[in-house]
Amino acid sequence: MDLIVSAVAGDLINRFMSFLINRYKTEENLEEKMKRLHDLLIRVHMIVEEAKARYITNPHMLFQLKKLMEVMYRGYHIMDIIKYRTIHSSSKTEVSIFNDLPLTTSISRHSRKRSSSISHDLQSALDNLESAVSNSKEFVLLLWGCERICHGPYDSYLYIDNFMFGRHVEKQQIINILLQDNIPPFSPTVLPVIGGGAVGKKTLIAHVCTNDKVRSHFSSILHLNGENIGAMEHGPFITGKALVVVEFRSDVNNENWLKFYSGLAKQMGRGSKIIIISRVAKISRFGTVKHVHLNSLSHEEYSYLFKVLVFGSTNPEEQPQLASIAKDLAVALGGSLVRANVYAHMLRKNQNVRFWLSIQKRYWNMVENNFKMFGEHPRDLLDKGHPVNITRLASSSDATLLLMPSPSKTNDSKRELPKVKFADLLADTASLPKEFELVSGECWIHSYKWFVSIAEYCEDDKISMDHSESPSKKRQRLDK
């Protein structure tokens, strides 16, 4: 009997020692791979930054740059997951609400990564980065032949909320088209820029229009509202080589467009261009060149952007718990650039763990509430023109508070309403009227000064659970 007990005990000890040795080797191997990942990211980031500092006219080089950026942001994302996994697991109770939500987007799939796949993802990131570095030799050589972009002494990085992120390839594509000769020469080229709501279409075009080459290429740049082109008999008065930017919020009939285009073509000088901005994909039929499509930023890009915005000049590695909260909050925000700037501005001013957790919890509660009521993320609701329940964001509010899709979609959008800043709503420092304009933030683009939405209180029994109802009918019912 003693021999049996001794043998069993010896076997258990051997297994335990083997487990400890394997675990030590695994951790040591992980540390080595993390160091390799860090070194490769520095090399790829260096290539990307050099490419961003040059005018690239070759479309194949732009395609390779886009691939390099995707691999780079994926690598940073994997690095953050591994760095903050211990903190994330210790705060599992804080995030359990959000993890139970029935998200069906790619963002939710990233947020529910299990530790068993970390090793595979790390190795995949390493392989992709090593392949990207080895395949970029010709790319780097060709970069030396590209003209360098001249920056002023005060660059956009001084104003962290105003710089454009993740659209360098699309920006360069648009600039290349604007600087090309028209075919046929006397007909203005029409370039449609198509994308969903709040993906940065107007911001991208604003950056294009401030580019030195573009400004010197055109004698004038004019911004127009496409909703008014049907009422224009002769179109705006334009002379010389001009760039006209037209924003369409809805589709327009062919007759009105042809009348508008022919009127412009008669006035505009040789080499003039027209840019169409719209979220309506059918608008691209008016283009004379292939349209530029803007997708939402990938989860890896968006997480990287949010971390840059939320920490500003401070080092996130010095505050790992805050970095972990920022990573999770980036998932909850759903890819919205406006919300990223608003929340980052507020969190950056108060880098306190308890404050960040309270903001995170309130936002997740709001997301959960909309899933229970409507079955969708708030961003998807707004994109579809449906109100969003933001009651959980206003901590002192008991009545239902709805955020309407857009002031332009309401029947009384021209009425003057009191303004409430989004930060004041979250801080519970504002007295909320029955109906008001919720100012999410201030835009640096002159033509689009504010990010504004209509918010109003509503009785619970008047909130429809049916998504098939049109926004206009829903608005009329709520006004009764």
Side-chain angles (χ1 to χ4, degrees):
M1 184 67 180
D2 291 340
L3 291 174
I4 295 175
V5 172
S6 177
V8 171
D11 182 61
L12 290 175
I13 291 172
N14 289 334
R15 289 186 180 184
F16 180 67
M17 292 299 295
S18 177
F19 167 76
L20 290 178
I21 292 171
N22 288 335
R23 182 175 180 180
Y24 175 77
K25 287 182 177 179
T26 300
E27 291 297 326
E28 189 178 48
N29 188 38
L30 179 63
E31 192 173 326
E32 289 178 0
K33 286 185 176 182
M34 285 290 285
K35 186 178 183 306
R36 281 176 56 207
L37 179 64
H38 180 262
D39 293 342
L40 286 167
L41 282 172
I42 291 176
R43 295 178 66 183
V44 172
H45 206 146
M46 179 176 61
I47 297 171
V48 169
E49 288 300 313
E50 183 62 30
K52 286 183 177 181
R54 296 179 181 270
Y55 286 107
I56 301 176
T57 57
N58 188 313
H60 298 291
M61 288 183 68
L62 287 174
F63 179 78
Q64 186 167 354
L65 174 58
K66 192 174 184 66
K67 291 298 180 183
L68 276 173
M69 293 168 68
E70 289 174 357
V71 170
M72 180 183 73
Y73 291 124
R74 176 64 178 164
Y76 278 120
H77 182 65
I78 296 299
M79 179 177 283
D80 284 347
I81 288 177
I82 297 174
K83 275 184 181 178
Y84 308 125
R85 58 179 175 164
T86 305
I87 297 171
H88 187 272
S89 60
S90 65
S91 60
K92 186 180 282 188
T93 55
E94 296 288 345
V95 301
S96 60
I97 294 175
F98 184 71
N99 285 341
D100 291 337
L101 296 180
L103 294 177
T104 57
T105 63
S106 61
I107 291 177
S108 67
R109 291 195 293 272
H110 283 294
S111 69
R112 291 194 288 264
K113 286 283 186 183
R114 294 293 183 260
S115 58
S116 60
S117 66
I118 288 178
S119 179
H120 175 268
D121 290 343
L122 175 57
Q123 187 58 52
S124 176
L126 284 171
D127 293 341
N128 290 335
L129 283 166
E130 287 173 346
S131 176
V133 169
S134 64
N135 293 332
S136 62
K137 294 177 182 178
E138 293 83 0
F139 179 80
V140 173
L141 288 173
L142 290 171
L143 275 180
W144 290 104
C146 299
E147 180 185 353
R148 180 170 286 277
I149 300 172
C150 295
H151 291 292
Y154 299 101
D155 203 357
S156 55
Y157 293 102
L158 282 175
Y159 310 95
I160 193 165
D161 291 326
N162 295 340
F163 77 98
M164 186 180 64
F165 179 86
R167 299 299 188 194
H168 180 81
V169 171
E170 290 84 355
K171 176 183 175 181
Q172 193 61 61
Q173 287 175 337
I174 294 173
I175 291 175
N176 291 342
I177 293 172
L178 294 182
L179 300 183
Q180 289 173 0
D181 294 332
N182 290 348
I183 301 176
F186 293 101
S187 297
T189 295
V190 180
L191 170 63
V193 178
I194 309 297
V199 298
K201 298 183 295 295
K202 293 189 288 287
T203 302
L204 172 61
I205 297 305
H207 277 272
V208 168
C209 292
T210 57
N211 179 268
D212 290 339
K213 279 183 173 289
V214 172
R215 292 175 66 88
S216 62
H217 188 75
F218 297 100
S219 59
S220 62
I221 299 176
L222 182 65
H223 295 263
L224 298 177
N225 183 353
E227 310 305 311
N228 301 326
I229 66 168
M232 296 182 184
E233 293 185 8
H234 306 291
F237 180 73
I238 300 173
T239 58
K241 184 191 293 186
L243 172 61
V244 176
V245 180
V246 190
E247 181 187 2
F248 290 101
R249 293 178 180 172
S250 59
D251 197 9
V252 61
N253 64 58
N254 294 347
E255 183 180 349
N256 284 342
W257 167 256
L258 289 174
K259 180 181 177 182
F260 172 75
Y261 178 76
S262 60
L264 285 181
K266 291 176 182 178
Q267 301 182 63
M268 300 171 83
R270 184 170 181 172
S272 296
K273 301 286 196 302
I274 300 173
I275 296 178
I276 295 175
I277 305 175
S278 182
R279 66 172 65 182
V280 181
K282 291 170 62 178
I283 291 289
S284 62
R285 70 185 184 275
F286 299 134
T288 60
V289 293
K290 185 178 180 181
H291 71 276
V292 174
H293 186 82
L294 289 189
N295 294 313
S296 298
L297 294 178
S298 68
H299 175 61
E300 292 84 2
E301 285 180 292
Y302 187 78
S303 296
Y304 185 91
L305 167 64
F306 188 67
K307 186 170 70 171
V308 170
L309 291 173
V310 81
F311 284 101
S313 60
T314 60
N315 185 2
E317 293 188 7
E318 295 176 357
Q319 305 179 78
Q321 192 168 0
L322 290 181
S324 178
I325 297 170
K327 182 172 68 68
D328 291 333
L329 188 54
V331 175
L333 290 175
S336 168
L337 298 177
V338 174
R339 282 194 292 271
N341 279 280
V342 172
Y343 274 85
H345 179 72
M346 181 172 51
L347 296 175
R348 193 169 63 246
K349 293 192 298 183
N350 186 0
Q351 296 195 355
N352 176 275
V353 173
R354 181 173 294 182
F355 175 72
W356 282 33
L357 284 173
S358 67
I359 295 298
Q360 179 192 51
K361 184 176 181 180
R362 285 167 66 179
Y363 188 83
W364 283 350
N365 285 339
M366 187 271 291
V367 174
E368 180 191 34
N369 196 29
N370 280 276
F371 267 107
K372 288 180 178 178
M373 294 184 65
F374 306 118
E376 293 188 69
H377 193 282
R379 174 177 178 172
D380 296 329
L381 292 171
L382 288 175
D383 284 346
K384 294 178 179 179
H386 290 274
V388 171
N389 189 332
I390 60 171
T391 310
R392 299 291 180 88
L393 291 180
S395 59
S396 62
S397 174
D398 293 326
T400 301
L401 182 61
L402 294 181
L403 183 69
M404 308 309 291
S406 170
S408 62
K409 294 180 181 179
T410 61
N411 297 330
D412 52 359
S413 60
K414 295 183 179 180
R415 288 195 298 118
E416 283 291 330
L417 295 173
K419 290 181 173 61
V420 176
K421 291 186 177 180
F422 189 80
D424 293 336
L425 174 74
L426 287 177
D428 199 23
T429 57
S431 177
L432 303 181
K434 170 72 175 175
E435 188 175 9
F436 56 92
E437 288 186 354
L438 185 62
V439 182
S440 299
E442 187 173 2
C443 180
W444 68 275
I445 307 172
H446 179 72
S447 304
Y448 311 97
K449 188 64 176 174
W450 300 97
F451 295 115
V452 178
S453 297
I454 300 296
E456 61 182 32
Y457 283 103
C458 177
E459 297 178 15
D460 291 344
D461 58 355
K462 290 186 179 181
I463 301 176
S464 173
M465 309 292 281
D466 183 10
H467 272 200
S468 63
E469 184 176 10
S470 68
S472 59
K473 290 183 179 180
K474 184 174 291 188
R475 174 68 182 182
Q476 292 171 6
R477 174 173 49 74
L478 292 175
D479 284 338
K480 291 179 181 178

